[in-house]
Amino acid sequence: MDFPPNQGLDQEEVDERVAAAIEENEVVLFMKGTELMPQCGYSRRALGLIDQYRDDYETVDVLESLDEYRAALDERSGWETIPQTFVDGEFVGGSDVLAELEERGELAETLGKK
């Protein structure tokens, strides 16, 4: 079985997907892999942190077109690394920022849960 190399999506299409995901979801996590199969430790860590406080949030697998997602997200957040979390349309941070918020007892409130 042959697996063709990742051809990537059109940058404009990815830009639109990112905009829609951020606009249409209260909490969205752009990550490597899926909720059931995260493909990096940082994405797994971010999932675990969000899962503590939210059942209802969206995840977007950026591996389908990594370079294009990286560019689209950098445009919105100024942040190059993935995962990236947005809440109510605002960039919050990656797994390290989520962990810091958790340590300070602020993650539940940041994610919209009191």
Side-chain angles (χ1 to χ4, degrees):
M1 180 180 281
D2 288 335
F3 293 98
N6 180 359
Q7 298 298 312
L9 299 171
D10 194 55
Q11 185 65 57
E12 188 174 324
E13 182 178 348
V14 172
D15 292 345
E16 290 171 6
R17 287 183 180 193
V18 167
I22 292 170
E23 186 177 307
E24 295 169 5
N25 297 285
E26 188 176 338
V27 177
V28 62
L29 173 65
F30 293 90
M31 61 179 285
K32 293 179 180 175
T34 65
E35 204 170 339
L36 294 175
M37 291 190 61
Q39 297 298 306
C40 83
Y42 296 109
S43 291
R44 183 176 293 111
R45 182 179 185 200
L47 274 174
L49 288 163
I50 296 170
D51 275 342
Q52 293 179 80
Y53 302 105
R54 298 290 302 223
D55 294 327
D56 57 331
Y57 64 96
E58 186 68 28
T59 61
V60 176
D61 181 0
V62 301
L63 292 177
E64 178 180 20
S65 199
L66 185 58
D67 292 340
E68 289 78 11
Y69 271 105
R70 214 181 279 282
L73 290 167
D74 185 36
E75 183 80 19
R76 291 192 160 264
S77 66
W79 198 266
E80 292 182 359
T81 60
I82 293 170
Q84 291 191 23
T85 307
F86 288 80
V87 178
D88 291 327
E90 298 293 319
F91 175 63
V92 173
S95 61
D96 54 342
V97 173
L98 295 179
E100 288 173 20
L101 289 167
E102 173 67 4
E103 287 173 20
R104 294 196 308 251
E106 300 171 5
L107 185 57
E109 183 178 350
T110 299
L111 293 173
K113 298 291 182 186
K114 304 286 186 233

Coordinates of all heavy atoms in Angstrom, one line a residue, residues 22 38 70:
I22 N -12.3 28.9 15.0 CA -12.2 29.9 16.1 C -13.5 30.6 16.4 O -13.9 30.8 17.5 CB -11.0 30.9 15.9 CG1 -9.7 30.1 15.9 CG2 -11.1 32.0 16.9 CD1 -8.5 30.9 15.4
P38 N -3.6 11.5 19.9 CA -2.7 12.7 19.8 C -1.3 12.2 19.3 O -0.9 11.1 19.7 CB -2.6 13.2 21.2 CG -3.3 12.2 22.1 CD -4.1 11.3 21.2
R70 N 0.3 26.1 10.4 CA 1.2 26.8 11.2 C 1.2 28.3 10.7 O 1.2 29.2 11.6 CB 2.6 26.3 11.0 CG 3.5 26.4 12.2 CD 4.9 25.8 11.9 NE 5.0 24.4 12.0 CZ 5.1 23.7 13.1 NH1 5.0 24.3 14.3 NH2 5.2 22.4 13.1

